[in-house]
Amino acid sequence: MAALSGVRWLTRALVSAGNPGAWRGLSTSAAAHAASRSQAEDVRVEGSFPVTMLPGDGVGPELMHAVKEVFKAAAVPVEFQEHHLSEVQNMASEEKLEQVLSSMKENKVAIIGKIHTPMEYKGELASYDMRLRRKLDLFANVVHVKSLPGYMTRHNNLDLVIIREQTEGEYSSLEHESARGVIECLKIVTRAKSQRIAKFAFDYATKKGRGKVTAVHKANIMKLGDGLFLQCCEEVAELYPKIKFETMIIDNCCMQGARHPFAQAVGRNIANPTAMLLSASNMLRHLNLEYHSSMIADAVKKVIKVGKVRTRDMGGYSTTTDFIKSVIGHLQTKGS
């Protein structure tokens, strides 16, 4: 099974290919930052870590429920401070956004589900999700895609990391109607941010022992914008001679991999919580809770490998609840 979380393909990304077995947990657009001081003091348990939780939309609330149940069973010393921010459920406002920002700045750790962005224009081009990224300067989206033993997919033995700049480019949110029926959409690309994301990718590859970085782009068409991005990547690559550097046009990249969010699973207790649980495990590692991180990751991978519990997306008939119970069951038998 290829486990991944929050992957969104786009024209300017860097892909780091790794060594087999160099596994690390996954991220949901994943987030580091969390809750307001007053809320933190209300729920904080001595010795526990306060973490902001944004369930998001779609199957997000169900997946976050899985995280909470597994954390409870594993006695993880984390106290979730839950906030709801949703544009599609009419739970978004400036006040709520500020509450979330205050929470994330206070705790500096957060776990976030997918916050859907409405297609309709309602007077604000930048979504709440986008505004969160900008205000906290969450410029790097990091997603680890890795095959898990026990489930065969169309593409096996995957182990790659997608690193995406998510505060400019297609996320500039600058559009206007220059004439009736004519829309201009501006894509801002800067040398500073292009160099920053490139350096982040090469530093990540160095730290994780990965041997190659690929810059994904559309410079064949957007010669100046993506051309600058590509130029910056090439310049940064020269500073890392031990890491192989390649480029790939986005069209070719998209032909080699894709993902869907399984929107049909909402509210049906059939969503697969694998990626969210591994993301949560990754968060625990960030908090230096190595024991709990490994315990949860090992339990999830054991469920996949044993193969008795398979959700609909894996060709089985097990429910989300079944999967959670199985993971908890393997937590209890760990080390026995």
Side-chain angles (χ1 to χ4, degrees), residues 114-166:
K114 169 63 179 174
I115 301 175
H116 289 305
T117 301
M119 299 293 289
E120 306 82 15
Y121 172 60
K122 298 182 179 180
E124 177 61 60
L125 292 171
S127 67
Y128 279 84
D129 189 20
M130 187 68 245
R131 290 158 72 184
L132 271 177
R133 297 177 194 170
R134 288 178 180 170
K135 287 180 178 293
L136 296 171
D137 197 25
L138 300 176
F139 69 94
N141 181 286
V142 182
V143 178
H144 188 179
V145 184
K146 181 172 175 61
S147 298
L148 298 180
Y151 186 75
M152 299 292 289
T153 62
R154 181 180 299 176
H155 304 286
N156 295 296
N157 300 317
L158 295 176
D159 184 9
L160 59 93
V161 176
I162 301 172
I163 297 174
R164 184 190 67 201
E165 212 296 328
Q166 58 178 11

Side-chain angles (χ1 to χ4, degrees), residues 238-263:
E238 293 180 359
L239 304 176
Y240 298 81
K242 294 183 179 180
I243 298 178
K244 183 178 180 180
F245 175 66
E246 293 183 348
T247 66
M248 182 181 294
I249 295 175
I250 186 64
D251 309 63
N252 182 23
C253 183
C254 285
M255 287 296 292
Q256 299 186 37
R259 170 184 182 267
H260 67 85
F262 197 28

Side-chain angles (χ1 to χ4, degrees), residues 5-155:
S5 175
V7 180
R8 304 172 208 162
W9 294 98
L10 81 143
T11 56
R12 300 186 309 114
L14 295 107
V15 180
S16 175
N19 301 320
W23 183 87
R24 184 171 169 82
L26 313 172
S27 81
T28 37
S29 218
H33 295 69
S36 75
R37 184 174 300 275
S38 60
Q39 288 178 307
E41 291 173 349
D42 288 341
V43 300
R44 186 171 298 171
V45 175
E46 186 176 356
S48 67
F49 293 86
V51 172
T52 302
M53 173 180 280
L54 287 177
D57 300 304
V59 296
E62 297 170 66
L63 300 181
M64 291 302 184
H65 173 72
V67 171
K68 288 186 285 187
E69 289 294 303
V70 172
F71 273 35
K72 181 179 179 180
V76 177
V78 161
E79 288 294 328
F80 289 115
Q81 298 168 356
E82 195 166 327
H83 293 263
H84 295 275
L85 186 67
S86 171
E87 294 183 69
V88 297
Q89 300 179 52
N90 294 318
M91 290 191 294
S93 66
E94 289 300 319
E95 182 181 2
K96 285 184 176 293
L97 179 62
E98 288 305 316
Q99 289 174 353
V100 171
L101 284 169
S102 177
S103 171
M104 296 173 78
K105 288 177 181 178
E106 174 69 22
N107 296 330
K108 296 182 174 58
V109 180
I111 184 166
I112 304 177
K114 169 63 179 174
I115 301 175
H116 289 305
T117 301
M119 299 293 289
E120 306 82 15
Y121 172 60
K122 298 182 179 180
E124 177 61 60
L125 292 171
S127 67
Y128 279 84
D129 189 20
M130 187 68 245
R131 290 158 72 184
L132 271 177
R133 297 177 194 170
R134 288 178 180 170
K135 287 180 178 293
L136 296 171
D137 197 25
L138 300 176
F139 69 94
N141 181 286
V142 182
V143 178
H144 188 179
V145 184
K146 181 172 175 61
S147 298
L148 298 180
Y151 186 75
M152 299 292 289
T153 62
R154 181 180 299 176
H155 304 286

Side-chain angles (χ1 to χ4, degrees), residues 298-326:
D298 290 348
V300 172
K301 289 187 281 186
K302 186 68 177 293
V303 172
I304 300 295
K305 187 173 183 178
V306 171
K308 292 182 178 180
V309 177
R310 296 231 190 272
T311 47
R312 296 286 183 90
D313 60 311
M314 298 175 67
Y317 296 94
S318 300
T319 64
T320 307
T321 301
D322 294 333
F323 196 98
I324 295 170
K325 289 180 178 179
S326 185

Side-chain angles (χ1 to χ4, degrees), residues 179-195:
R180 187 175 178 81
V182 180
I183 301 295
E184 291 183 329
C185 181
L186 303 181
K187 171 179 173 176
I188 306 300
V189 180
T190 63
R191 174 174 292 277
K193 289 192 174 182
S194 294
Q195 289 178 333

